[in-house]
Amino acid sequence: MNLLVIDRSTDTQSVAVAKDGKVFARVFADMDSRSADWPVRIRDFLAANGLTVNDLDQVLVGQGPGSFAGIRAALAFAQGLALGNAGKRDTQVVGLPSTCALTCAGARTAVIGDARRERFWVVLYDGSACVKDFALVSKSELAAAVPEGYVVVTPDGARIEPLLQSVFGAAYKGSLVPLAQHLAEVALAHPELPKPEPLPIYLQPAVRSA
């Protein structure tokens, strides 16, 4: 199976392809989430690995949480690619939370992010298996949201690292970036985890403008 993986949930945007069980990846740290040349970069990345969009069996998108613009653009690209292949190849679009890229085999991991408006999101994993789905908590609820025996990581270290250090001490292991390569590795090891018809993970209700 030829699998293309895209994650645009952070400023460090990335792409990976799994071909014959091997994963090849590239990071685009210089790209803005609204960059218009993303399709060209993917075309060139695929070509460098001996593939075209017509060769893809599946496209997996990191669903976040994170940059809503980046995630929506990645999903729109994946859906357009699949529609373009209709009748030529049955290309399936699936998704995984970008937080799956921050887990470690054999470890219990709590991934915590900044949901803004003085709220934080927390999701718990045992290895790559989600044991407690995303929940919104306040600052005073953070400590109670993570059971004993879990390590804590975040994709939002620039904003909340000092807080996590003060709340979790040695259990806090630092700020990590969700990368397409790691999502591809999770998908290959656990093909049951990616889900069809993915949507962005958005944890706060929209704010109505006046």
Side-chain angles (χ1 to χ4, degrees):
M1 181 181 74
N2 296 324
L3 168 68
L4 174 67
V5 182
I6 303 168
D7 192 277
R8 300 187 66 183
S9 64
T10 70
D11 290 338
T12 305
Q13 301 172 58
S14 57
V15 61
V17 65
K19 178 184 176 184
D20 300 326
K22 296 180 180 180
V23 177
F24 307 90
R26 186 171 177 187
V27 174
F28 300 115
D30 60 329
M31 282 188 60
D32 181 88
S33 63
R34 295 172 292 275
S35 176
D37 68 345
W38 180 262
V40 175
R41 294 199 185 201
I42 289 188
R43 180 201 64 192
D44 293 346
F45 170 75
L46 289 172
N49 289 285
L51 295 171
T52 72
V53 293
N54 295 328
D55 297 318
L56 297 174
D57 299 297
Q58 197 172 75
V59 182
L60 187 154
V61 177
Q63 298 169 258
S67 167
F68 200 51
I71 297 165
R72 285 187 300 172
L75 286 168
F77 171 84
Q79 291 159 354
L81 187 155
L83 284 172
N85 279 354
K88 295 175 286 186
R89 194 179 192 97
D90 184 17
T91 302
Q92 184 185 29
V93 178
V94 296
L96 273 176
S98 300
T99 48
C100 288
L102 307 182
T103 61
C104 297
R108 294 179 177 179
T109 307
V111 187
I112 299 176
D114 184 7
R116 310 300 178 97
R117 306 178 207 167
E118 299 184 353
R119 306 286 281 180
F120 306 87
W121 53 259
V122 181
V123 59
L124 303 180
Y125 291 94
D126 188 346
S128 298
C130 180
V131 295
K132 187 172 183 182
D133 208 354
F134 292 91
L136 283 177
V137 300
S138 65
K139 180 178 178 180
S140 63
E141 297 170 323
L142 264 177
V146 179
E148 186 176 351
Y150 279 74
V151 299
V152 175
V153 298
T154 183
D156 293 327
R159 296 197 297 269
I160 64 173
E161 185 161 73
L163 172 63
L164 298 182
Q165 288 173 330
S166 68
V167 172
F168 296 105
Y172 175 64
K173 300 302 180 183
S175 180
L176 301 175
V177 176
L179 295 177
Q181 176 179 347
H182 299 147
L183 286 178
E185 291 166 354
V186 170
L188 290 178
H190 304 280
E192 76 282 1
L193 291 181
K195 303 301 181 186
E197 300 182 12
L199 295 172
I201 296 173
Y202 190 52
L203 299 170
Q204 291 277 22
V207 177
R208 179 180 297 175
S209 59

